[in-house]
Amino acid sequence: MKLSKILAIAGRPGLYKLLGNTKNGLLVESILEGRKFPVFSTERISSLEEISIFTEEEDLPLKEVFVAIKEKCNGEQAISHKASKGELLSFIEEVIPTYDKDRVYISDIKKMIQWYNILQTNDLLDFEDEDSEVENNDTVEETSNE
């Protein structure tokens, strides 16, 4: 699934799949519970595709963070987001050694790990399909323009 279709909603736990638009917002489905409900445009909604982590060089998209965690954990669950602060910092240091220690807070690390584990549990970490879809669309557009 595309990360652009997976949402985080401020004040609500977990992640949500975007199902469609409504007159006043979006229709979403909870990945954890499977419950569908409307989310209004007044709520703070973020697509995971738009989120990145601060590093010493440039911002690293969340997709790349998830890929790095997946590689470190061999596609399995990461450590719990409820692990000790020391364990969380050690884990993220191994995954992204260049993360900005001054601007990435422990709450951010907990959220990233929790989101990764939710996506892993629900088999939503296959991002290669997204890349091939983009390549296929580019090929179709190039072919149709001739």
Side-chain angles (χ1 to χ4, degrees), residues 1 7-8 12 15 28 31 46 56 62 68 75 80 89 91 109 113 116 121 123 129 146:
M1 172 170 266
L7 309 174
R12 295 180 187 251
L15 295 172
V28 299
I31 293 176
S46 300
E56 293 167 357
L62 194 56
S80 171
L89 292 173
F91 178 79
I109 295 169
I113 292 172
Y116 169 85
T121 299
D123 198 28
D129 290 344
E146 294 177 5

Side-chain angles (χ1 to χ4, degrees), residues 81-140:
H81 66 283
K82 295 181 180 179
S84 72
K85 180 179 179 179
E87 289 175 308
L88 293 169
L89 292 173
S90 174
F91 178 79
I92 204 68
E93 178 90 23
E94 290 176 32
V95 175
I96 308 164
T98 61
Y99 85 98
D100 188 331
K101 293 163 185 61
D102 294 328
R103 297 193 297 171
V104 177
Y105 301 109
I106 193 69
S107 59
D108 301 325
I109 295 169
K110 286 181 177 185
K111 206 177 291 186
M112 282 187 300
I113 292 172
Q114 181 182 26
W115 290 347
Y116 169 85
N117 285 334
I118 290 170
L119 294 174
Q120 192 279 334
T121 299
N122 291 280
D123 198 28
L124 296 172
L125 286 172
D126 192 13
F127 303 129
E128 284 99 39
D129 290 344
E130 284 183 44
D131 295 335
S132 63
E133 281 180 33
V134 169
E135 288 172 15
N136 289 341
N137 287 342
D138 289 344
T139 305
V140 169

Side-chain angles (χ1 to χ4, degrees), residues 5-85:
K5 302 283 185 189
I6 300 176
L7 309 174
I9 303 169
R12 295 180 187 251
L15 295 172
Y16 303 87
K17 291 182 194 175
L18 173 63
L19 299 178
N21 295 325
T22 64
K23 185 177 180 181
N24 298 324
L26 304 171
L27 182 63
V28 299
E29 178 181 12
S30 169
I31 293 176
L32 293 174
E33 302 167 352
R35 189 173 54 95
K36 298 175 186 176
F37 58 93
V39 178
F40 301 102
S41 56
T42 56
E43 296 184 63
R44 285 193 350 228
I45 304 165
S46 300
S47 163
L48 294 193
E49 187 174 58
E50 299 169 349
I51 299 172
S52 58
I53 182 172
F54 296 114
T55 67
E56 293 167 357
E57 293 90 35
E58 57 184 41
D59 294 352
L60 185 67
L62 194 56
K63 175 181 177 179
E64 293 180 30
V65 174
F66 288 158
V67 169
I69 294 172
K70 184 178 180 181
E71 287 174 8
K72 175 173 178 9
C73 298
N74 297 318
E76 300 297 319
Q77 288 272 305
I79 65 173
S80 171
H81 66 283
K82 295 181 180 179
S84 72
K85 180 179 179 179

